[in-house]
Amino acid sequence: MRTIEISVLIELDNLRLAERARAEQLFDALASEIEESGRSVEVLIGSPGDRHQQWVADLVDASPIASLTPQERVNILPVGDRRYYDIKNYLADHATGEVLVFLDGDVIPQPGWLTAVLAPLADPAVDVVCSRCIIGPLDSFYSRAVAASWIFDPRPRVGEESVRHFKANSVAFRSLVFAANRFPSNPQQYRGACTALACQLTNSGVTMVRANDAVVTHPAPNGPRAFALWHLLVGQDRASRRQHLSFTGYSRVAARSLAGGLYEALRDPIQRRRDLGLGFLGFAGAVAVGVTGCLLKLSGQVIGRLKPDALQRYL
């Protein structure tokens, strides 16, 4: 039996805040990427709940991925009540590939993504490769405003560059490296485990690079509620990491975070406006989106400090 080279691991937890149509586009794009790569690939999909969800099976059956890959290499695994990072760890436990490629259910790989994200691993010194993520589609005033102020920089980049951090929405690990460095489990944090793992890998001397030609698109938050919730939970993550500080020390750190965020809310739209084709109103909207996000993060930090369990049901 031929050895599986690549395991693509897809969580669907993020679809709680996105549209299921994103997963349809993901599976269609992934089928093309697998076919073009010429690699031996298995796909593991984390299905919410203790039993197979019919809507997940229907998505897979309706996609080219169902016929492109032999049936035994497309597996839907019920993940119970696990959430984002725990789902990734669970899928990794069941993967057989020499390389693990983690994908979120709401990102869309762009042409050439899989080949580009695997290319740096030809160097045995490289163990982790992350993609470049951008907001897409840019089909509304709102999505362009978000792209100008969001954590994903839309400005074009090419080639590879060393990094000390990564986003978990599209990242490849050598399987042996991930087995020794899993995503930390912390039920009180929303996305903090990614930062913690990146620090752990850096301190262990693991080489990480970003393949800028490996591009995935991420949707703008799906409406005001998703936008507000994301920023509130990021603020709570900051609070969770700083609970050991005194009230005075915590206040100073929160004030510095707010000042830095407000600076970025102005700087980022200025730097990105040409790439996004923003006029005056678009620029003003982007600044407003960035400032609103900063204030929501501050609110999350305050809530996380005063009532640590207040946002737990959204994690």
Side-chain angles (χ1 to χ4, degrees), residues 134-147:
I134 59 176
I135 292 291
L138 298 174
D139 56 359
S140 66
F141 180 89
Y142 168 68
S143 63
R144 290 181 181 278
V146 170

Side-chain angles (χ1 to χ4, degrees), residues 54-193:
Q54 188 59 44
W55 67 267
V56 178
D58 290 344
L59 281 176
V60 173
D61 290 341
S63 164
I65 201 172
S67 57
L68 177 66
T69 310
Q71 186 60 40
E72 66 271 19
R73 292 188 184 173
V74 178
N75 293 315
I76 302 172
L77 302 180
V79 296
D81 60 357
R82 293 175 178 85
R83 300 301 294 273
Y84 189 70
Y85 288 115
D86 287 334
I87 293 173
K88 292 179 181 292
N89 286 337
Y90 181 78
L91 294 176
D93 289 338
H94 291 78
T96 60
E98 299 168 358
V99 174
L100 309 181
V101 181
F102 295 96
L103 265 183
D104 283 4
D106 59 352
V107 301
I108 310 299
Q110 300 303 291
W113 161 80
L114 184 57
T115 297
V117 82
L118 296 175
L121 293 173
D123 180 352
V126 175
D127 293 312
V128 180
V129 183
C130 62
S131 300
R132 188 167 71 90
C133 185
I134 59 176
I135 292 291
L138 298 174
D139 56 359
S140 66
F141 180 89
Y142 168 68
S143 63
R144 290 181 181 278
V146 170
S149 59
W150 199 247
I151 56 175
F152 306 127
D153 191 339
R155 291 174 294 174
R157 288 188 172 89
V158 295
E160 302 168 10
E161 57 185 306
S162 297
V163 295
R164 297 174 62 88
H165 59 83
F166 59 87
K167 300 293 187 295
N169 55 22
S170 175
V171 60
F173 285 77
R174 295 191 191 277
S175 58
L176 293 178
V177 171
F178 186 79
N181 300 275
R182 296 159 59 86
F183 289 109
S185 180
N186 186 342
Q188 293 185 328
Q189 290 195 341
Y190 176 57
R191 291 293 186 265

Side-chain angles (χ1 to χ4, degrees), residues 242 244-256 301 305:
R242 296 162 181 165
H244 64 284
L245 296 176
S246 66
F247 180 80
T248 300
Y250 185 86
S251 299
R252 289 173 178 169
V253 171
R256 285 198 297 269
Q301 290 184 76
R305 178 71 177 193

